[in-house]
């Protein structure tokens, strides 16, 4: 159910975000990926994850980056994505 998924995500997201920020502070780049999830069982086999005991939610590659010229990604203006008291 959606409520169960939201609860699990709400528990996982802060930890992963903190991990990604800590990596960045150490000069490492990360990215949250989920492309492997349709093949979760195969990924579990490759990574040695007990498939029946643990749910995978993301795969976070970590690597040194090429250069350090980081800048914010392109985003829509906030008034196009944030709604207050109306949709």
């Amino acid at each position: 159910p959606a409520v169960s998924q939201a609860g699990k995500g709400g528990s996982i997201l802060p930890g992963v975000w903190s991990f990604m920020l800590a990596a960045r502070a150490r000069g490492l780049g990360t990215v949250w990926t989920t492309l492997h999830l349709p093949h979760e069982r195969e990924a579990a086999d490759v990574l040695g994850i007990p498939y029946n005991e643990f749910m995978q939610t993301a795969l976070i590659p970590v690597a040194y980056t090429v250069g350090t010229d980081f800048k914010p990604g392109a985003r829509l203006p906030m008034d196009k994505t944030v709604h207050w008291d109306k949709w």
Side-chain angles (χ1 to χ4, degrees):
V3 70
S4 176
Q5 290 179 2
K8 288 177 183 155
S11 296
I12 295 164
L13 284 166
V16 174
W17 186 246
S18 292
F19 170 78
M20 293 171 80
L21 287 174
R24 178 64 187 98
R26 290 160 177 80
L28 297 165
T30 61
V31 64
W32 182 298
T33 64
T34 57
L35 280 173
H36 76 292
L37 290 178
H39 308 283
E40 184 179 0
R41 185 179 294 275
E42 293 90 340
D45 290 342
V46 169
L47 298 170
I49 300 169
Y51 178 78
N52 293 324
E53 298 176 41
F54 295 95
M55 178 183 78
Q56 298 174 50
T57 57
L59 184 65
I60 314 296
V62 179
Y64 289 103
T65 62
V66 176
T68 58
D69 186 26
F70 294 102
K71 51 188 164 247
R75 294 199 172 34
L76 292 172
M78 201 161 39
D79 64 340
K80 301 282 186 194
T81 58
V82 175
H83 306 279
W84 191 269
D85 287 336
K86 64 180 171 122
W87 185 258

